[in-house]
Amino acid sequence: MKTLIIAVDGPAAAGKGTLAAALARALGLPHLDTGLLYRAVARQMLLRGMDPQVDAGDAVALALQPADLARDDLRVPEIDRAASAVATQPGVRAALLQRQRDFAVATGAVIDGRDIGTVVFPDATVKLFVTASARTRALRRHLQLHDGQMPDGATLERLVEDIVARDTKDANRALSPLKCAEDAVVLETDDFDSRQVLDRALDIIHRRHRAG
Ligand code: CDP
Ligand code: CDP
């Protein structure tokens, strides 16, 4: 049987990781959150006081080293911005591209990121593009990072701005920009909770599987 690769792409805080992890559990496949690879390189650059534009060679060397992807401190706002800057570097992308392909090639996998369906696995079995309005995504990220506490108006506005700035940078970079693959199924999730999104995604995958 052909190796099953499920690509989950989309903008920041759309629910890619949550969906990909749940799909992996349901389908018995390994899961790779590729944003963590870029975040781990960014964290090391910040610790060393390095700038990915200036110290591009060091960024590539870091991308080739194994990293602890389970650290909680990879998801802080400072690393959001630094990861997006690191992700513009061609050498970093090339090093991480190979690691992503190696991860999935033997077993199949559910992989989430920005360029999985377009660049990393252009022949993925199923491609999902998960999205929601910037406001919904900012609110989700706040609730996720603050144990379900609602933000005040100004905090939410700042978060919306940060998310829009990062999406703009990710969508406009020269290499592997954030974009929906032509053959991806778009999941608009503003009005759906994680469980409903999972059910829709499983339905799409099973239909595709039955169709051969
Ligand atoms: O979880 P969130 O959507 O906020 O971000 P992430 O998926 O952890 O990705 C962090 C940053 O890494 C993104 O803003 C992108 O710049 C970069 N990234 C990328 O360029 N390509 C990927 N496949 C995954 C992430
Ligand atoms: O990986 P990405 O940055 O796209 O998002 P995430 O970290 O998977 O999800 C951000 C937050 O949104 C998590 O707390 C999810 O529980 C929540 N959420 C979701 O993933 N899907 C929905 N339909 C609604 C909320």
Side-chain angles (χ1 to χ4, degrees):
M1 209 177 79
K2 215 176 137 232
T3 311
L4 197 60
I5 306 261
I6 313 289
V8 180
D9 289 304
K16 305 176 296 296
T18 303
L19 174 62
L23 282 176
R25 269 193 302 277
L27 300 169
L29 290 171
H31 167 218
L32 180 63
D33 176 341
T34 62
L36 292 176
L37 297 171
Y38 293 90
R39 287 174 182 272
V41 177
R43 177 174 172 275
Q44 291 294 338
M45 295 294 284
L46 286 175
L47 283 176
R48 290 167 166 76
M50 289 172 167
D51 175 338
Q53 256 63 270
V54 181
D55 307 299
D58 296 286
V60 176
L62 288 168
L64 290 167
Q65 282 169 20
D68 176 7
L69 303 183
R71 304 183 62 95
D72 283 339
D73 61 1
L74 290 178
R75 296 201 182 276
V76 297
E78 200 186 3
I79 295 190
D80 289 351
R81 284 186 289 274
S84 190
V86 156
T88 62
Q89 290 300 315
V92 170
R93 297 208 76 87
L96 294 181
L97 180 65
Q98 199 51 50
R99 285 179 57 183
Q100 293 168 73
R101 288 185 176 155
D102 290 347
F103 178 88
V105 80
T107 53
V110 185
I111 311 197
D112 70 282
R114 299 291 184 292
D115 60 341
I116 309 305
T118 50
V119 174
V120 183
F121 285 104
D123 297 328
T125 323
V126 177
K127 300 178 187 181
L128 303 170
F129 192 86
V130 187
T131 190
S133 70
R135 189 157 295 269
T136 298
R137 293 185 283 118
L139 183 58
R140 284 180 186 168
R141 183 51 41 93
H142 189 278
L143 295 173
Q144 180 184 34
L145 295 178
H146 298 89
D147 290 328
Q149 262 186 2
M150 284 299 283
D152 60 37
T155 305
L156 184 61
E157 286 318 313
R158 247 195 331 273
L159 262 169
V160 171
E161 280 170 24
D162 286 351
I163 278 200
V164 169
R166 187 147 62 93
D167 288 347
T168 305
K169 191 169 170 64
D170 288 346
N172 290 296
R173 68 178 174 225
L175 263 182
S176 306
L178 162 68
K179 77 168 182 226
C180 182
E182 271 174 24
D183 50 350
V185 180
V186 179
L187 292 174
E188 299 277 358
T189 68
D190 281 273
D191 301 324
F192 298 94
D193 66 21
S194 305
R195 177 74 231 181
Q196 292 169 315
V197 176
L198 172 64
D199 288 344
R200 283 165 68 196
L202 282 172
D203 193 44
I204 291 161
I205 292 166
H206 289 143
R207 265 190 237 199
R208 186 68 56 90
H209 198 58
R210 275 200 296 275

